[in-house]
Amino acid sequence: MNTNELLLQERKSVISRKLQTHGRVLAAELAAEFGVSEDTVRRDLREMAAAGLCERVYGGALPVSPAGGSLNHRAGIARDRKQALAAAAVSQIAADMTVFFDAGSTNLAIAMALPMDLPLTAVTNAPSIAAALIDKPLVNVILIGGLIDRQVGGALGAKAMRDMEPLSPDLCILGACGVDIAAGVTVFGFEDAEFKRFVATKSRQVLVAVTSDKFGTAAPHGVLSAADCGCLVVERDADPQMLARYRDLGCKTLVAGETE
């Protein structure tokens, strides 16, 4: 390995450590620290992103979101934490609303947490969420159809978008693989991002409930900006200063387990 390759590997190792420690890196700061140009750092970050080691955002990079696996697999992870998020999210659902429940394990927990005496119209592209909602006697369920993406756990594509076309939900409970103030709401799949974006634009308000391992991370495909997220539900360990930045953008923040 020549000297240039060694320096490159050293820079990437430092960048990886900073991502783990600080949750983000800025190209300008790294360039000053390494004594190289910002173009050199941006090239390093592009190479790391191509290798799946980070996600590029404007001005720097974020850790890669840990979200992955099938919906059934994800539903079995961190159940208690998702139930706490669900309890906070349910407080934003009022009687007689039309609510879209996007595919996702946290959103499944929200659907299951709905009170039995709450009347509403629920729309979902996830068969597992529809099955959970069927047990709610006052909930009318509209199932969005199409080809089911096994990893997402919901219908995506042209048929799903046609089914959504005539609907205008009062609230869209959106699934996310990563949420960050700079990157916004992001997901791993291109078609998933397209469908989510379409539903969000047709909805009066968007709510995202996210576990701490996804907060401050990014996935490759953007859905909407942080400013377009009407309500963000997070866990107790979320950084208060970061939450204040979301509120400055007009995004309401709820912390699971805390009263408003």
Side-chain angles (χ1 to χ4, degrees):
M1 182 179 293
N2 62 40
T3 302
N4 288 337
E5 289 175 336
L6 179 62
L7 291 173
L8 172 61
Q9 292 304 318
E10 289 176 345
R11 289 199 304 270
K12 289 182 177 178
S13 294
V14 171
I15 292 169
S16 293
R17 288 197 298 272
K18 286 181 177 292
L19 283 169
Q20 292 174 3
T21 303
H22 303 296
R24 66 182 60 232
V25 293
L26 297 176
E29 293 179 357
L30 291 173
E33 179 177 342
F34 296 146
V36 298
S37 68
E38 286 191 43
D39 284 342
T40 297
V41 172
R42 283 193 286 268
R43 185 173 63 247
D44 292 348
L45 295 177
R46 284 196 297 271
E47 291 178 2
M48 292 179 69
L53 301 176
C54 70
E55 285 294 339
R56 291 280 286 115
V57 294
Y58 181 77
L62 296 170
V64 177
S65 167
S70 69
L71 177 57
N72 285 339
H73 170 73
R74 298 195 305 274
I77 298 173
R79 285 180 182 271
D80 292 345
R81 292 161 56 196
K82 291 172 183 176
Q83 287 170 357
L85 289 170
V90 165
S91 71
Q92 302 304 295
I93 302 175
D96 300 318
M97 271 186 169
T98 296
V99 181
F100 176 78
F101 291 83
D102 191 18
S105 56
T106 302
N107 295 347
L108 174 59
I110 296 171
M112 295 175 68
L114 288 174
M116 287 292 186
D117 61 351
L118 181 65
L120 58 86
T121 297
V123 184
T124 184
N125 63 329
S128 59
I129 292 178
L133 291 168
I134 286 294
D135 291 334
K136 311 291 182 178
L138 300 183
V139 176
N140 295 316
V141 182
I142 299 173
L143 180 60
I144 300 301
L147 182 65
I148 301 295
D149 183 297
R150 285 183 171 84
Q151 182 165 355
V152 172
L156 302 176
K159 175 63 166 63
M161 294 177 79
R162 284 198 302 272
D163 283 359
M164 278 300 308
E165 179 62 42
L167 302 173
S168 298
D170 298 299
L171 179 65
C172 169
I173 301 178
L174 199 66
C177 297
V179 176
D180 178 75
I181 197 76
V185 177
T186 57
V187 294
F188 283 109
F190 174 81
E191 290 292 344
D192 191 23
E194 286 291 306
F195 180 73
K196 284 173 163 55
R197 193 179 305 115
F198 180 70
V199 178
T201 59
K202 294 186 65 61
S203 302
R204 292 183 176 86
Q205 186 179 27
V206 175
L207 178 148
V208 178
V210 62
T211 49
S212 292
D213 55 342
K214 297 179 183 179
F215 192 47
T217 70
H221 301 287
V223 178
L224 74 169
S225 69
D228 290 325
C229 180
C231 182
L232 178 64
V233 186
V234 296
E235 296 188 85
R236 284 177 177 269
D237 59 353
D239 183 350
Q241 292 184 341
M242 184 61 67
L243 294 181
R245 293 181 63 190
Y246 281 91
R247 290 193 292 272
D248 289 342
L249 292 174
C251 176
K252 180 178 182 179
T253 62
L254 298 178
V255 178
E258 293 185 2
T259 57
E260 292 189 67

